Amino acid sequence: MSRFRPSRREVPGLNTASLPDLIFTVLFFFMIVTHIKDDAVGVDYTPPKGSQVEKLAGNSSVMHIYIGRPAGGASAEGGGEMCVQINDRRVGVADIPKYIAGERSRMTPAEAQNVTVSLRADSAAPMGLVDDVKRALRSSQVLKIVYSAQESD
């Protein structure tokens, strides 16, 4: 009867040798899949100063419109004409509705309804040009406009 002893079996420990490989694989996947949008600003502008500045929440349906002098060259120093840039492309005021319609066609329907425009105008930009841009946005049914400014001292 003494031949049979009760055996105590333990559960083996979890092998974590391949865990770093798995973590780096997931990290590389997200690095490749994630798209970071960054505009190449071709306009020199100095934002106006404001007393009640709030940060705009990150949103994929935000379009940036820059109003200022063309960057680089003699026209930026010599007081050249103001130009309008939407995202990465310079456009005329008359072309804004067509460009926005093209951008909306690439968005999902939910994003197309909630398009927000971040207007980044130079502090010396003529108000007539800013008003023309606002009228073009209104004709494109873009009614959410956010004005960019620097916080005053």
Side-chain angles (χ1 to χ4, degrees):
M1 291 250 178
S2 63
R3 288 186 179 179
F4 298 108
R5 291 184 225 161
S7 64
R8 291 190 172 133
R9 294 185 185 167
E10 294 182 13
V11 178
L14 183 63
N15 185 4
T16 59
S18 64
L19 193 60
D21 294 335
L22 180 67
I23 290 173
F24 284 120
T25 303
V26 171
L27 176 68
F28 288 134
F29 171 76
F30 284 120
M31 286 173 53
I32 291 171
V33 172
T34 303
H35 175 73
I36 298 174
K37 185 176 180 182
D38 191 21
D39 295 334
V41 181
V43 173
D44 287 332
Y45 73 98
T46 305
K49 302 214 182 278
S51 60
Q52 296 180 352
V53 179
E54 295 178 21
K55 187 171 173 104
L56 178 65
N59 193 348
S60 61
S61 60
V62 174
M63 296 172 131
H64 298 283
I65 297 181
Y66 303 93
I67 300 174
R69 290 183 174 75
S75 62
E77 298 164 2
E81 287 291 317
M82 294 281 180
C83 63
V84 178
Q85 176 182 339
I86 301 179
N87 293 338
D88 284 336
R89 194 168 169 213
R90 287 188 197 166
V91 295
V93 176
D95 299 330
I96 290 175
K98 182 176 72 171
Y99 184 81
I100 288 180
E103 288 290 318
R104 276 188 165 168
S105 67
R106 293 185 211 132
M107 296 179 182
T108 63
E111 288 177 342
Q113 281 184 334
N114 295 325
V115 170
T116 303
V117 169
S118 173
L119 191 60
R120 298 178 178 202
D122 187 60
S123 59
M127 248 349 254
L129 179 60
V130 175
D131 189 50
D132 291 344
V133 170
K134 285 175 28 181
R135 287 178 196 269
L137 291 171
R138 192 177 306 139
S139 70
S140 301
Q141 298 301 316
V142 176
L143 305 176
K144 295 179 186 176
I145 301 174
V146 176
Y147 297 95
S148 292
Q150 285 182 339
E151 196 164 353
S152 60
D153 297 332

